[in-house]
């Protein structure tokens, strides 16, 4: 209550007496700024008490609804009684169709904040004027202005964010929010209900320092419009120039906070930065004003750096009173922030701004007196300029001459009534004076008649002028009506233009959204087409690779099958040949046993040839030759070798390379080379199952055939293969595996070198020569 008496009450008093005012709360977050402005149940704050005082002062002097109307340019207009009545009936019919008829009761959330028993009134209210109150509520969030009373339709499919408002300057160079909703209220409860409706839309958040921290600056604007009544005191004068508008701004600033203490992130961090930036701009403006005052400089005040300072630029320039309530939190954690707030409050007390000179206001009576005095001056000037003015001057000079020619009475003293000298002289003087008096009377009468005729002439001219003025006023009234109708038409067209611009803006935004969706869909389609092309190319490469692998595998298996068929045919031919030889030898033995001894002795000369033929046999009579035990490689021996390397072989550049000393290197087998050597090795390369190239060294013995040629018996195969270390090596086969046995001896197979016994012959080298 004491705070309201000292701070807010003088501002409400100035509001009623046509003066502006600004009241804002300043402090750190959680210091009680919102509580100071709104109050709590049972104890109202500065705002409800100010509204209560305002309506208690002008309650019986308020105009009916819609008599005053805003012109959307920070001004007020006066409607006629008929227009106001029609608008009231239209608004009441709309409310009856949408709202049921129930007694209006104040919202229980704020009903206890308004205390009628503590109401106070303002003294000196002009009872010859009519009043009307308009309220608006805005917030400044992230340096954007939003209307908290704006009713926007809710779109559940695609909700739209609230549209920000812009600041404009009216014809009196006052800043205002363009397009802001202004609601006409008639009571404290109605005004506070409007405020509470907007308060629910205000942005708040939970931080480390305050559970309901305001994230924006809120401004509640109270406008008071007043206009004088007519002579009868029944109706308001229909003159826009007679309307006076004053406003009171109640500002609840967001609290300054340090991000290191609140630990804000994301949007909260951006909100805190904008709040601190706007408060810093306010502090900078106050400091520049103080510097201009103390040092006599003329630095430009940076009002435009923030919406808060730009909106209240006129107040800081002296257009109204400014009051600041500093809220302090006694917590020790807020000591540094509180000291900064107190220094700023001390700085603001030193700032004094010169108020602009008030313009003189001329009333109707003063104007009428001024016009009458001007008319009298003009009349005197014209009277002097008339031709009769010289006659008046002459008449005046004649009167003066007559007055000067009055004879003086003689200085005489009558002692004797029969004195004949003094009496005749005295009678003569008196007669002369009588004649002069008559002349003066005639001259005065003549002058009075002339002046009377002049006055009558001037009265006629004045009546003619008044008639002319009346006619001109009638024409002016007709012109005013035409201008008023044209202005209404212009307002209607302007509203229609704004509506069309709004629709065009909506269509443009919708088109932009559709264009963005189209571009995103096209990009997605192109990316999918590219992905599909890559998949198709990858599939084609995979098919080509699989066809190559299939063809390679098919070719390998065809070669393997051909090799096995040839080996089997050679094995069968060798077996048949061995059986034929055995049969021949058996036949020879049987035929020799049947002969007698003499015959036998006779044939002893021929006997040496049989062993010679048997010595040419490449194989013993007991079957296939058995591979004797030898070292790891026959190439290490001292025998002479034939190194057969085809030209199609590739150099693998491996560590294990077959180096055979005393070897004859050939690219194709020949009888000449085989006749000089005892051992034979063939280097053969093929593709393994894992895709690597493996080299096989097929070794054998060279012997002479029965026909005098050279033959090779393959007895061993050494396999050399290069592998990647990342591929898991195969397990060594167990010694019990039957595939590694040969003639009862066990052999180990590994990944680097394989030994294979081959008891058959190479069909290409079975017989040479």
């Amino acid at each position: 209550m004491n705070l309201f008496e000292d701070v807010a009450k003088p501002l409400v008093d100035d509001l009623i007496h046509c003066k502006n005012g600004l009241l804002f709360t300043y402090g750190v977050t959680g210091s009680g700024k919102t509580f100071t402005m709104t109050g709590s149940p049972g104890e109202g704050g500065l705002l409800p008490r100010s509204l209560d005082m305002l309506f208690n002062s002008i309650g019986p002097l308020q105009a009916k609804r819609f008599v005053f109307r805003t012109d959307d340019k920070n001004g007020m207009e006066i409607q006629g009684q008929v227009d106001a009545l029609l608008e009231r009936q239209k608004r009441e019919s709309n409310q009856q169709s949408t709202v049921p008829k129930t007694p209006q009761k104040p919202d229980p959330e704020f009903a206890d904040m308004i205390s009628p028993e503590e109401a106070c009134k303002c003294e000196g209210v002009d009872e010859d004027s009519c009043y009307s109150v308009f309220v608006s509520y805005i917030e400044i969030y992230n340096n954007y202005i939003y209307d908290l009373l704006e009713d926007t339709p809710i779109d559940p499919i695609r909700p739209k964010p609230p549209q920000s408002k812009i600041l404009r300057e009216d014809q009196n160079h006052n800043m205002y929010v363009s397009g802001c909703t202004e609601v006409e209220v008639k009571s404290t409860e109605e005004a506070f209900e409007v405020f509470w409706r907007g308060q629910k839309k205000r942005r708040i958040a939970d931080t480390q320092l305050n559970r309901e921290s305001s994230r924006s600056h809120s401004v509640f604007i109270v406008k008071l419009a007043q206009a004088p009544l007519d002579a009868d005191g029944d109706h308001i004068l229909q003159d826009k120039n007679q309307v006076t508008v004053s406003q009171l701004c109640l500002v609840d600033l967001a609290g300054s906070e340090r991000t290191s203490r609140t630990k804000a992130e994301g949007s909260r961090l951006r909100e805190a930065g904008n709040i601190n930036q706007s408060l810093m701009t306010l502090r900078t403006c106050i400091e520049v004003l103080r510097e201009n005052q103390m040092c006599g400089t003329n630095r430009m005040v940076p009002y435009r750096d923030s919406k808060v300072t730009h909106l209240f630029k006129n107040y800081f320039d002296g257009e109204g009173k400014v009051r600041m309530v500093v809220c302090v939190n006694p917590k020790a954690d807020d000591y540094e922030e509180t000291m900064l707030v107190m220094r700023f409050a001390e700085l603001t007390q030193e700032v004094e701004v010169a108020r602009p000179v008030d313009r003189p206001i001329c009333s109707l009576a003063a104007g009428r007196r001024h016009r009458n005095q001007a008319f009298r001056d003009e009349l005197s000037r014209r009277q002097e300029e008339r031709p009769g003015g010289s006659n008046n001057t002459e008449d005046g000079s004649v009167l003066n001459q007559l007055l000067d020619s009055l004879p003086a009475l003689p200085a005489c003293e009558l002692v004797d009534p029969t004195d004949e000298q003094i009496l005749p002289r005295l009678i003569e003087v008196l007669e002369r004076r009588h004649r002069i008096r008559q002349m003066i009377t005639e001259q005065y009468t003549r002058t009075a008649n002339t002046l009377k005729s002049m006055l009558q002439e001037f009265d006629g001219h004045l009546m003619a002028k008044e008639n002319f003025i009346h006619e001109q006023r009638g024409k002016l009234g007709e012109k005013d009506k035409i201008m008023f109708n044209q202005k209404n038409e212009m307002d209607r067209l302007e509203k229609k233009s704004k509506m069309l611009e709004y629709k065009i803006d909506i269509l443009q935004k919708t088109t932009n959204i559709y264009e963005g969706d189209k571009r995103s869909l096209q990009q997605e389609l192109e990316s999918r087409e590219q992905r599909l092309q890559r998949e198709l190319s990858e599939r084609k490469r995979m098919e080509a690779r699989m066809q190559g692998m299939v063809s390679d595998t098919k070719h390998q298996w065809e070669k393997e099958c051909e090799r096995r068929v040839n080996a089997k045919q050679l094995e069968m031919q060798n077996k048949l040949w061995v059986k034929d030889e055995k049969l021949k030898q058996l036949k020879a033995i049987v035929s020799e046993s049947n002969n007698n001894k003499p015959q036998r002795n006779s044939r002893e000369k021929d006997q040496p040839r049989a062993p010679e033929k048997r010595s040419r046999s490449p194989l013993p009579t007991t079957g296939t030759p058995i591979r004797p035990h030898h070292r790891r490689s026959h190439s290490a021996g001292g025998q002479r070798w034939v190194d057969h390397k085809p030209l199609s072989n590739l150099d693998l550049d491996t560590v294990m390379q077959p180096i055979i000393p005393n070897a004859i290197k050939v690219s194709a087998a020949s009888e000449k080379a085989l006749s000089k050597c005892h051992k034979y090795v063939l280097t053969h390369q093929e593709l393994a199952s894992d895709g690597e190239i493996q080299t096989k060294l097929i070794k054998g013995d060279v012997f002479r055939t029965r026909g005098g040629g050279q033959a090779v018996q393959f007895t061993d195969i050494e396999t050399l293969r290069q592998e990647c270390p990342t591929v898991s090596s195969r397990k060594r086969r167990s010694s019990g595996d039957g595939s590694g046995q040969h003639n009862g001896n066990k052999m180990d197979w590994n990944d680097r070198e394989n030994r294979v016994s081959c008891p058959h012959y190479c069909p290409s080298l079975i017989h040479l020569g």
Side-chain angles (χ1 to χ4, degrees):
M1 184 64 183
N2 295 331
L3 182 63
F4 172 75
E5 290 287 340
D6 296 336
V7 178
K9 187 176 180 180
L11 296 179
V12 180
D13 194 359
D14 291 343
L15 176 68
I16 298 175
H17 291 89
C18 306
K19 295 180 182 179
N20 298 332
L22 171 63
L23 173 63
F24 61 92
T25 57
Y26 182 80
V28 299
T29 181
S31 59
K33 300 182 295 299
T34 305
F35 172 77
T36 304
M37 187 63 66
T38 60
S40 61
E43 184 178 1
L46 298 178
L47 191 145
R49 291 176 184 270
S50 300
L51 294 174
D52 201 17
M53 176 180 176
L54 175 62
F55 284 104
N56 287 333
S57 302
I58 64 170
L61 304 176
Q62 294 188 69
K64 294 183 179 180
R65 290 185 185 272
F66 309 115
V67 173
F68 289 91
R69 185 180 65 179
T70 59
D71 60 355
D72 297 331
K73 296 179 181 179
N74 203 30
M76 290 289 174
E77 296 178 348
I78 300 177
Q79 291 192 120
Q81 297 293 331
V82 178
D83 296 336
L85 179 60
L86 292 175
E87 192 168 354
R88 283 197 301 271
Q89 291 177 354
K90 181 179 179 181
R91 189 65 58 88
E92 290 176 358
S93 62
N94 292 335
Q95 290 180 355
Q96 290 177 1
S97 61
T98 56
V99 181
K101 294 183 179 181
T102 55
Q104 295 292 333
K105 294 182 180 180
D107 194 337
E109 294 184 3
F110 61 85
D112 296 337
M113 297 182 183
I114 304 172
S115 301
E117 61 273 5
E118 298 180 2
C120 56
K121 294 183 179 181
C122 177
E123 300 295 336
V125 180
D126 187 8
E127 297 182 356
D128 293 332
S129 299
C130 199
Y131 301 87
S132 185
V133 180
F134 294 83
V135 295
S136 58
Y137 197 17
I138 63 172
E139 71 169 354
I140 303 175
Y141 175 71
N142 286 340
N143 210 25
Y144 289 97
I145 301 176
Y146 298 98
D147 186 4
L148 296 177
L149 302 180
E150 185 177 13
D151 294 332
T152 56
I154 300 176
D155 190 357
I157 299 176
R158 183 175 291 179
K160 297 181 180 179
Q163 297 293 327
S164 60
K165 306 298 180 180
I166 60 175
L167 292 177
R168 293 189 183 275
E169 190 175 8
D170 61 4
Q171 59 182 0
N172 296 324
H173 304 289
N174 294 324
M175 303 305 299
Y176 70 99
V177 180
S178 178
C180 181
T181 304
E182 294 182 353
V183 182
E184 185 178 7
V185 292
K186 295 300 179 183
S187 63
T188 306
E189 291 79 7
E190 187 178 354
F192 202 78
E193 183 180 1
V194 173
F195 165 77
W196 201 256
R197 188 172 71 245
Q199 184 74 5
K200 293 180 179 179
K201 295 182 180 180
R202 189 180 176 187
R203 290 176 174 86
I204 60 174
D206 186 9
T207 62
Q208 295 289 336
L209 302 180
N210 192 358
R211 188 180 64 181
E212 294 183 357
S213 176
S214 300
R215 314 309 296 171
S216 62
H217 310 294
S218 64
V219 183
F220 189 74
I221 303 174
V222 181
K223 281 188 178 181
L224 179 63
Q226 54 182 322
L229 299 174
D230 56 5
D232 298 332
D234 297 332
H235 303 288
I236 301 175
L237 292 177
Q238 299 291 322
D239 188 3
K240 183 179 179 180
N241 298 325
Q242 299 292 335
V243 180
T244 304
V245 181
S246 57
Q247 68 179 11
L248 173 63
C249 298
L250 302 173
V251 185
D252 181 13
L253 295 176
S256 61
E257 58 186 21
R258 291 187 178 181
T259 57
S260 59
R261 294 185 60 196
T262 58
K263 299 179 181 180
E265 296 178 355
S267 60
R268 297 290 172 266
L269 181 61
R270 185 180 62 181
E271 292 169 357
N274 289 322
I275 292 171
N276 295 335
Q277 181 66 28
S278 60
L279 296 178
M280 183 61 67
T281 304
L282 176 62
R283 183 185 181 92
T284 304
C285 293
I286 297 298
E287 290 177 353
V288 173
L289 288 173
R290 180 177 178 273
E291 182 180 352
N292 292 338
Q293 172 188 338
M294 302 295 292
C295 303
T297 58
N298 193 17
R299 284 183 56 192
M300 184 181 68
V301 184
Y303 293 120
R304 292 180 177 270
D305 292 350
S306 175
K307 289 294 192 299
V308 177
T309 54
H310 194 195
L311 178 60
F312 302 121
K313 167 182 175 296
N314 306 102
Y315 293 95
F316 295 120
D317 289 341
E319 291 292 342
K321 291 184 179 179
V322 181
R323 295 290 183 269
M324 181 177 69
V325 178
V326 179
C327 300
V328 177
N329 194 344
K331 291 175 59 177
D333 297 337
D334 297 339
Y335 175 76
E336 296 181 359
E337 290 86 349
T338 303
M339 289 300 297
L340 293 175
V341 171
M342 297 304 292
R343 290 193 188 98
F344 176 68
E346 183 181 5
L347 179 67
T348 55
Q349 290 181 350
E350 300 177 358
V351 178
E352 294 180 1
V353 180
R355 185 167 297 178
V357 180
D358 295 334
R359 299 175 183 176
I361 301 176
C362 298
S363 61
L364 297 177
R368 190 178 297 110
R369 288 195 301 270
H370 179 71
R371 289 193 298 272
N372 292 337
Q373 181 65 31
F375 178 75
R376 287 194 296 270
D377 294 340
E378 181 68 17
L379 183 62
S380 300
R381 185 181 62 81
R382 292 185 179 182
Q383 183 179 358
E384 292 178 357
E385 292 178 355
R386 290 188 58 180
S390 58
N391 296 330
N392 295 335
T393 304
E394 293 177 358
D395 292 340
S397 62
V398 170
L399 289 175
N400 293 330
Q401 290 177 3
L402 290 175
L403 290 174
D404 293 337
S405 64
L406 285 175
L409 293 176
C412 59
E413 182 179 359
L414 291 176
V415 179
D416 188 2
T418 61
D419 190 354
E420 295 181 355
Q421 294 180 355
I422 297 175
L423 286 175
R425 191 171 54 189
L426 182 60
I427 291 170
E428 183 180 2
V429 170
L430 291 174
E431 288 177 352
R432 289 176 58 189
R433 291 178 66 89
H434 180 67
R435 287 194 300 271
I436 292 172
R437 185 180 294 275
Q438 288 180 351
M439 292 175 62
I440 290 173
T441 303
E442 293 176 357
Q443 187 67 29
Y444 177 76
T445 303
R446 188 165 56 250
T447 304
N449 293 330
T450 304
L451 183 61
K452 185 177 180 181
S453 63
M454 290 176 61
L455 288 176
Q456 290 177 355
E457 183 180 0
F458 284 138
D459 288 337
H461 286 294
L462 181 62
M463 290 298 294
K465 294 293 183 182
E466 288 180 354
N467 294 331
F468 178 76
I469 291 173
H470 183 69
E471 292 177 359
Q472 295 297 325
R473 284 181 178 177
K475 294 181 180 180
L476 183 62
E478 294 178 357
K479 295 293 184 181
D480 289 339
K481 290 181 180 180
I482 295 173
M483 291 178 61
F484 182 74
N485 295 330
Q486 291 179 353
K487 186 176 180 181
N488 292 334
E489 184 68 17
M490 289 176 61
D491 293 339
R492 186 183 66 79
L493 294 176
E494 185 176 359
K495 290 181 180 179
K496 186 177 180 180
S497 176
K498 289 182 179 180
M499 181 62 66
L500 293 176
E501 289 178 357
Y502 178 70
K503 291 182 179 179
I504 291 173
D505 190 12
I506 292 176
L507 293 176
Q508 186 66 32
K509 290 181 179 179
T510 306
T511 305
N512 294 334
I513 292 172
Y514 287 157
E515 288 293 335
D517 295 341
K518 180 181 178 181
R519 287 193 297 269
S520 62
L521 291 175
Q522 286 180 351
Q523 292 177 359
E524 184 178 359
L525 181 60
E526 290 176 358
S527 62
R528 289 189 178 182
E529 288 180 353
Q530 292 176 0
R531 194 182 306 117
L532 182 60
Q533 291 295 333
R534 289 196 298 269
E535 290 178 357
L536 290 176
S537 61
E538 186 69 23
R539 182 176 297 176
K540 289 180 180 179
R541 287 196 299 270
M542 185 66 70
E543 289 179 355
R545 185 176 177 183
M546 292 299 295
Q547 289 178 0
M549 292 179 65
V550 168
S551 61
D552 292 342
T553 306
K554 182 179 180 181
H555 181 66
Q556 183 178 1
W557 277 106
E558 287 178 353
K559 289 176 63 178
E560 182 68 21
C561 292
E562 184 179 358
R563 186 186 64 79
R564 290 186 181 183
V565 169
N566 293 333
K568 196 66 176 178
Q569 289 178 357
L570 180 61
E571 183 180 359
M572 296 301 293
Q573 289 178 2
N574 290 334
K575 287 183 179 181
L576 291 176
W577 181 74
V578 170
K579 286 182 181 181
D580 290 342
E581 290 294 329
K582 286 182 180 181
L583 289 175
K584 289 179 181 180
Q585 291 177 6
L586 182 61
K587 185 178 181 181
I589 293 171
V590 171
S591 61
E592 287 180 358
S593 61
N594 292 329
N595 295 329
N596 53 14
K597 292 181 180 180
Q599 294 178 354
R600 179 180 177 185
N601 294 327
S602 64
R603 293 189 176 185
E604 287 180 357
K605 297 180 181 179
D606 299 329
Q607 297 243 344
R609 293 184 179 178
E612 183 179 358
K613 293 181 179 179
R614 287 195 297 271
S615 64
R616 292 182 181 178
S617 176
L619 294 175
T621 58
T622 58
T624 60
I626 299 174
R627 181 170 60 89
H629 294 284
H630 52 76
R631 291 179 300 173
R632 184 174 178 271
S633 176
H634 285 177
S635 62
Q639 298 175 349
R640 195 171 180 83
W641 288 78
V642 176
D643 189 1
H644 180 192
K645 290 185 178 180
L647 296 177
S648 61
N649 288 353
L650 300 176
D651 188 8
L652 300 182
D653 194 17
T654 58
V655 176
M656 298 182 65
Q657 293 290 338
I659 302 175
I660 305 174
N662 299 326
I664 298 175
K665 296 182 179 180
V666 295
S667 60
S670 63
E671 182 181 0
K672 183 178 178 180
L674 292 176
S675 64
K676 297 178 181 181
C677 300
H678 301 86
K679 296 292 184 179
Y680 176 86
V681 58
L682 171 63
T683 303
H684 173 67
Q685 290 183 345
E686 63 182 8
L687 192 65
S689 61
D690 56 355
E692 300 291 340
I693 298 177
Q694 65 180 3
T695 304
K696 291 184 179 181
L697 302 178
I698 306 173
K699 297 183 293 184
D701 297 330
V702 180
F703 60 90
R704 191 177 300 276
T705 61
R706 293 177 61 186
Q710 302 294 332
V712 178
Q713 180 183 6
F714 293 127
T715 60
D716 194 6
I717 297 177
E718 292 183 7
T719 303
L720 302 179
R721 185 172 61 187
Q722 184 179 5
E723 295 181 355
C724 182
T726 59
V727 182
S728 60
S729 60
R730 294 176 300 177
K731 295 183 179 179
R732 298 185 62 182
R733 298 186 182 182
S734 61
S735 59
D737 193 357
S739 61
Q741 295 180 1
H742 178 70
N743 294 334
N745 296 326
K746 297 181 180 180
M747 299 177 60
D748 294 334
W749 296 44
N750 51 39
D751 296 334
R752 299 291 178 248
E753 181 177 356
N754 297 331
R755 296 180 179 270
V756 180
S757 296
C758 186
H760 52 270
Y761 300 93
C762 177
S764 62
L765 300 178
I766 188 64
H767 186 272
L768 293 176

